[in-house]
Amino acid sequence: MVAEKNYYDYNYENGSAVRKAKPEYKKSNLRRDYTVVQTPKKHISTKTKAKTVIWIVSMFVVFLVVTYRFNLINEKNLKVQNLKKDLTSAQSILASSQIEVEQSVDINQVEAYAKQKLGMQKPDKNQIIYVDNSNSEIVQNEASTTVVDKVIDKIKQVINQIF
C-alpha cells in the first residue's frame, strides 16, 4: 500500500491544503546520494527592462497630465462660481435700485411738470394710433376718423384710379 501512495503523490508534499511541488532529485554518478537539481534563473534582457521603465515613466506622465487638466478644470469652475455670486449680487442691487427709483418718482408730479412747464396735454381720440403687433402694421381707430377725413380719402382714391 505504501508503494501505491508514493505512486499517486509522487510530485507533491502532504500536510497542507495547498499542494507544493517537491524538488526533483537526480542520482549523482560520483556519489551514491541524491542531490537537488536547481532550475536555472531566467535572464531578463535589457530591452525588457527598458520597456518596463519606459512604460512606468509614460504612465507617470499620463498621470501628471490628467491631474494638471483636473486642476485647470477646477480653477475654471471656481471662477464660474465666483462670477455667479457676483451676478446675483449685481442683480439684487439692480432690483433694489429699480424699486427705489419707482418709489421716488411720483406720477402726479411728472404729469404736472409736463403740463405746466412743457405745455403737453393728453391726446385726443383722433390722435391715438393703435399698433397691431401681430402684423406689425399701423392701424387707425375707425372711430377716430371724421367725415372730412373720409371725404378726403375718397377723393384720393378717385384721383389714384384716374392716373
Side-chain angles (χ1 to χ4, degrees):
M1 197 52 119
V2 175
E4 290 178 6
K5 185 175 183 182
N6 285 341
Y7 176 73
Y8 291 115
D9 293 332
Y10 180 72
N11 290 329
Y12 298 99
E13 293 180 7
N14 291 331
S16 67
V18 178
R19 293 185 159 191
K20 300 176 185 175
K22 288 184 179 181
E24 296 180 12
Y25 294 100
K26 183 179 179 184
K27 191 173 184 179
S28 172
N29 290 337
L30 300 175
R31 292 194 254 159
R32 301 247 174 209
D33 59 341
Y34 291 96
T35 58
V36 176
V37 177
Q38 295 180 353
T39 57
K41 293 184 178 179
K42 293 184 179 178
H43 178 68
I44 300 174
S45 67
T46 56
K47 285 184 180 180
T48 308
K49 289 179 183 178
K51 285 181 183 179
T52 53
V53 168
I54 290 172
W55 186 81
I56 290 171
V57 169
S58 64
M59 287 297 120
F60 183 71
V61 168
V62 167
F63 175 73
L64 287 178
V65 168
V66 167
T67 54
Y68 176 72
R69 291 293 296 160
F70 182 73
N71 287 334
L72 286 179
I73 291 169
N74 281 341
E75 286 177 6
K76 299 294 181 184
N77 285 337
L78 183 62
K79 285 182 183 178
V80 167
Q81 289 175 355
N82 290 337
L83 290 175
K84 283 183 180 179
K85 288 179 185 177
D86 293 343
L87 177 65
T88 54
S89 65
Q91 286 176 342
S92 65
I93 291 170
L94 176 67
S96 64
S97 62
Q98 284 177 345
I99 290 171
E100 288 176 7
V101 167
E102 288 175 359
Q103 289 176 352
S104 67
V105 174
D106 186 20
I107 296 175
N108 294 331
Q109 289 178 352
V110 172
E111 185 178 354
Y113 181 79
K115 285 181 179 178
Q116 293 171 1
K117 299 284 183 174
L118 301 176
M120 296 179 140
Q121 59 183 358
K122 289 190 178 183
D124 294 332
K125 289 184 179 179
N126 61 352
Q127 292 177 336
I128 297 175
I129 297 174
Y130 294 100
V131 178
D132 186 15
N133 290 339
S134 63
N135 295 333
S136 68
E137 296 178 9
I138 298 176
V139 179
Q140 288 185 347
N141 191 358
E142 294 296 326
S144 67
T145 58
T146 61
V147 177
V148 177
D149 291 334
K150 289 181 182 179
V151 171
I152 292 173
D153 287 337
K154 294 270 186 180
I155 294 172
K156 285 181 182 178
Q157 288 177 357
V158 171
I159 294 173
N160 286 336
Q161 288 177 355
I162 293 173
F163 296 106

